[in-house]
Amino acid sequence: MFKFAHFADCHIGANRGPVLEKLELAAFSKAMDVCMQENVDFVLIAGDLFHANLPDMYVANEAVKKMKEVKDAGIPIYVIYGSHDYSPNGTSIIDILASTGLIKKVVKGEDVGGKLRLEVFTDPKTKAKLVGISGRKAGLERNYFEILDREFLEKEEGFKIFAFHSAISELKPEFLAQMESIPVSLLPKGFDYYASGHVHRRTESGFAGYERVVFPGALFGGYSRDLEDSAKGEKRGFYVVSFDDKVEEVKFMEVSVCDFEYFEYDVSDKNSVQAKKDLLDKLSKIKAESKIAVVKIKGELSGGKTSDISSSEIRDLLKENGALDVIINRYGLTSKDYASVRAIGEDVPAIENRLLRENIGAVKVSIEELKADKGAKLAQDLLKVLRQEQKLNETKKDYVERIQKHALNTLGLGDEGK
Ligand SMILES: [Mn+2]
């Protein structure tokens, strides 16, 4: 019987600040220790090993030292890129580590008659066959899935693992409704295990033809929402899969490096002075000692400013009471009195849309196309154009011309359609 470990979304280097940075590394280190104790035959990381393609070098070095221990114990580490550690020109830390032989990328494809043919990598010891598609920014990997030669992979015999870094439409949690995803039907059928990554919440599921689709979730947490989930009880860790010619057991290995305390407070029907007093009073009674405290403040104040509820006061109080660190989520906090612009929303497009809609009334224009929803939509489209970055190998001049042309076309002032 053989065993492999399946990780995803370690996001090393995501957390700033001494406490969380240390915990994030501790989680990785502990998980790697478990792999060695369990004597797994190989480790497979389904993307976002690092939070950035060029992460902080101190943190990267610590993680590399740990991976070296694993490699020296005779356990190979296989990876695919995630959406965070992906680099279009092959200059990610993943490539550097692959060049040293510390890790091995199990993603290789070629164009065969307009289709993407993936190379099947065979682990020398277990003879397990690994195939992968890396994640890319903004769900661009979908293009790869659409041209994937599935039949070629489906015909392959033996114990097969398919690694990828994308959300599956059928499995997407509600809070990720905006996230790009792929329908399960774009995956090749009949693999013994689908080693997934990208969605930071753990799910184990299966479909006809796709028996085991497993997302380990974030190993520690790359975003405050992940830490909020952890504080609400989401377990973090990775999987150890036992197999011979079939999967024998899929076991979740919890990795816990700290305790959390979650506190949610609704300010509705109170003004800012009342809410602040009540909140601080309640927070003084929670047991935050030696824990990461996550405080969520929501609701609409009946009066006063949201800034009256000061994050720094909350942080100071909890730290005085022994909290290791404090994370405050106040996206859902508003006030009846507070008429100035608020940036509320969980992602950039939602915030943009809201800000543009709220403010468009204040702009005096005579042209119908620039008013109300139409105007807000146009402004958002224009922002999208202006946000485009210079392409690799594109000269500055070409870049400027491309953006100008694209922007004018968006405004209906270009050559297009004339
Ligand atoms: Mn991720």
Side-chain angles (χ1 to χ4, degrees):
M1 180 105 74
F2 298 115
K3 275 196 242 178
F4 74 90
H6 167 206
F7 288 80
D9 299 287
C10 304
H11 281 269
I12 293 164
N15 288 288
R16 295 291 153 94
V19 176
L20 291 174
E21 185 183 279
K22 227 180 183 168
L23 288 171
E24 173 193 281
L25 277 172
F28 185 69
S29 182
K30 199 168 169 179
M32 289 289 140
D33 284 340
V34 175
C35 289
M36 289 186 279
Q37 284 152 19
E38 288 276 320
N39 216 357
V40 300
D41 296 288
F42 62 87
V43 170
L44 172 59
I45 302 175
D48 287 354
L49 168 56
F50 291 95
H51 188 64
N53 56 357
L54 298 169
D56 175 86
M57 283 300 141
Y58 164 75
V59 180
N61 190 36
E62 293 299 306
V64 164
K65 281 192 247 171
K66 199 70 208 179
M67 287 191 273
K68 177 82 166 56
E69 273 182 50
V70 173
K71 171 107 198 302
D72 288 347
I75 305 169
I77 302 172
Y78 303 130
V79 304
I80 62 170
Y81 290 122
S83 42
H84 281 260
D85 43 25
Y86 168 78
S87 155
N89 51 357
T91 51
S92 166
I93 181 150
I94 298 293
D95 302 291
I96 295 166
L97 298 182
S99 300
T100 68
L102 180 66
I103 60 176
K104 178 170 173 55
K105 285 189 282 177
V106 287
V107 186
K108 212 169 180 189
E110 57 172 347
D111 182 335
V112 178
K115 287 208 152 193
L116 172 65
R117 181 165 295 180
L118 293 177
E119 194 173 287
V120 179
F121 170 79
T122 305
D123 172 58
K125 184 175 169 198
T126 65
K127 307 294 175 223
K129 292 178 176 175
L130 285 90
V131 180
I133 288 191
S134 286
R136 292 179 64 186
K137 296 259 179 265
L140 280 172
E141 72 279 1
R142 191 190 164 107
N143 303 340
Y144 294 150
F145 281 100
E146 279 166 356
I147 57 163
L148 179 64
D149 187 348
R150 285 189 290 276
E151 212 182 309
F152 170 78
L153 297 172
E154 285 164 0
K155 274 195 246 158
E156 189 75 36
E157 306 261 312
F159 182 80
K160 297 189 289 185
I161 302 167
F162 189 81
F164 66 104
H165 190 86
S166 316
I168 295 282
S169 314
E170 289 87 343
L171 294 174
K172 210 162 50 164
E174 211 167 289
F175 75 98
L176 295 179
Q178 306 276 327
M179 189 191 246
E180 296 283 341
S181 62
I182 56 153
V184 75
S185 59
L186 288 183
L187 299 174
K189 278 189 182 152
F191 277 64
D192 295 279
Y193 188 88
Y194 294 84
S196 326
H198 195 43
V199 176
H200 287 191
R201 279 189 194 166
R202 181 164 70 99
T203 53
E204 289 170 45
S205 50
F207 305 88
Y210 311 89
E211 216 181 313
R212 276 180 201 85
V213 182
V214 179
F215 286 87
L219 180 61
F220 177 70
Y223 298 99
S224 51
R225 184 186 320 170
D226 298 338
L227 299 174
E228 186 178 316
D229 281 348
S230 304
K232 284 181 187 163
E234 170 91 10
K235 301 253 181 285
R236 301 299 181 184
F238 66 101
Y239 280 88
V240 168
V241 182
S242 312
F243 67 100
D244 37 49
D245 53 347
K246 286 212 165 344
V247 169
E248 293 294 331
E249 193 191 11
V250 176
K251 199 163 122 196
F252 179 66
M253 313 295 282
E254 188 182 350
V255 176
S256 166
V257 286
C258 61
D259 290 326
F260 289 93
E261 184 70 25
Y262 181 70
F263 188 80
E264 192 171 305
Y265 187 77
D266 190 340
V267 300
S268 300
D269 304 323
K270 292 187 188 68
N271 66 36
S272 59
V273 178
Q274 295 163 330
K276 179 184 165 178
K277 188 173 174 300
D278 189 41
L279 172 61
L280 289 176
D281 187 48
K282 290 201 160 77
L283 285 176
S284 68
K285 290 176 188 137
I286 68 167
K287 290 195 170 61
E289 204 183 332
S290 306
K291 293 180 189 171
I292 301 291
V294 179
V295 180
K296 184 171 188 163
I297 311 166
K298 60 176 194 179
E300 190 179 49
L301 290 165
S302 62
K305 290 186 204 151
T306 55
S307 57
D308 291 340
I309 302 184
S310 139
S311 290
S312 59
E313 268 181 74
I314 293 170
R315 195 166 285 126
D316 290 348
L317 170 75
L318 290 168
K319 285 208 168 161
E320 266 167 40
N321 289 342
L324 289 177
D325 212 339
V326 181
I327 292 152
I328 302 167
N329 170 351
R330 47 192 300 157
Y331 292 124
L333 176 63
T334 60
S335 172
K336 281 198 172 115
D337 269 6
Y338 196 42
S340 72
V341 171
R342 295 183 298 254
I344 293 159
E346 297 249 329
D347 57 21
V348 174
I351 293 170
E352 275 174 10
N353 192 278
R354 182 160 175 164
L355 289 177
L356 290 167
R357 275 158 184 268
E358 277 182 6
N359 287 282
I360 198 135
V363 186
K364 286 204 169 61
V365 284
S366 52
I367 305 165
E368 207 53 44
E369 275 69 32
L370 298 179
K371 288 181 184 170
D373 277 358
K374 266 189 182 170
K377 167 89 175 42
L378 185 62
Q380 204 169 7
D381 287 346
L382 189 61
L383 265 180
K384 218 167 159 183
V385 172
L386 297 176
R387 201 186 283 129
Q388 291 180 87
E389 285 173 22
Q390 194 170 350
K391 288 179 186 166
L392 284 169
N393 306 326
E394 184 179 40
T395 64
K396 181 101 187 256
K397 184 167 168 284
D398 287 349
Y399 171 59
V400 170
E401 279 175 10
R402 177 168 65 86
I403 297 295
Q404 277 174 349
K405 193 173 160 206
H406 204 154
L408 287 170
N409 285 339
T410 304
L411 291 167
L413 301 169
D415 299 334
E416 213 173 69
K418 269 193 181 166

